[in-house]
Amino acid sequence: MTMEQTFIMIKPDGVQRGLIGEIIGRFEKKGFSLKGLKFVNVERAFAEKHYADLSSRPFFGLLVDYIISGPVVAMVWEGKNVVVTGRKLIGTTNPADSPPGTIRGDYGIHIRRNIIHGSDAVESATKEIALWFPEGPIAWESAIEPWIYE
Ligand code: UDP
Ligand code: MG
């Protein structure tokens, strides 16, 4: 079985609103495995690098202001199809269109303040993990894996 990794970030609004435990709990309870975790204040240049693909968008400046407005929780999660399934747990970009049961659907209202980031493809996940975790993720094997996969 090929295991995949994705980069997940709880944005400053998620942190301020006390959703760290709730969000980590959703990924844990799904069966994904935590491979990296840090609580950090991000500098402007770093946030611009993370969102470089969006630099030509009109909301880019406001997005960067938002991401550096408070500490974020940066994580690496591992599991089968974790990139796509992680995006399903998160929901759609605009919380208004995101169904209840998704993180953004349950907790967000405004398109920018949507609580959480998740890599949108395996390729971007690899890039984002390398940017946020240059030291590499933590290698460990969860003892419950045989109860999650056959
Ligand atoms: N965003 C925004 N205005 C928009 C669209 C997106 O401020 O019109 C913000 C929002 O916080 C979003 C982030 O920019 O999560 C990155 O946008 P992207 O299209 O990559 O959405 P995501 O992949 O996070 O769903
Ligand atoms: Mg995106």
Side-chain angles (χ1 to χ4, degrees):
M1 187 173 39
T2 34
M3 282 296 184
E4 215 172 80
Q5 292 188 336
T6 194
F7 174 70
I8 299 291
M9 166 178 54
I10 305 174
K11 294 173 172 179
D13 52 334
V15 172
Q16 289 285 357
R17 293 181 51 199
L19 295 172
I20 297 172
E22 171 67 29
I23 290 169
I24 290 178
R26 289 191 184 202
F27 279 82
E28 270 187 333
K29 281 179 261 184
K30 177 69 179 167
F32 293 133
S33 190
L34 184 65
K35 299 286 163 140
L37 174 72
K38 51 176 83 162
F39 189 42
V40 283
N41 275 306
V42 176
E43 300 203 336
R44 181 169 295 274
F46 188 90
E48 286 172 351
K49 201 165 174 189
H50 170 76
Y51 280 123
D53 289 353
L54 300 174
S55 60
S56 62
R57 305 295 287 275
F59 59 82
F60 183 69
L62 291 171
L63 171 59
V64 171
D65 288 346
Y66 156 55
I67 292 301
I68 67 173
S69 65
V72 300
V73 178
M75 295 176 281
V76 177
W77 285 92
E78 186 178 281
K80 190 169 189 281
N81 293 325
V82 69
V83 173
V84 165
T85 307
R87 293 276 292 193
K88 286 182 184 162
L89 295 179
I90 288 170
T92 56
T93 303
N94 190 346
D97 302 326
S98 204
T102 64
I103 293 165
R104 287 170 173 170
D106 285 347
Y107 302 118
I109 293 173
H110 189 275
I111 189 162
R112 187 159 27 258
R113 297 184 186 271
N114 59 7
I115 317 287
I116 182 170
H117 165 87
S119 308
D120 62 8
V122 172
E123 197 192 6
S124 47
T126 304
K127 259 168 68 178
E128 291 170 2
I129 291 167
L131 176 67
W132 288 81
F133 292 87
E135 70 281 16
I138 302 291
W140 70 290
E141 237 176 73
S142 163
I144 63 168
E145 234 168 62
W147 296 101
I148 293 169
Y149 302 103
E150 289 197 0

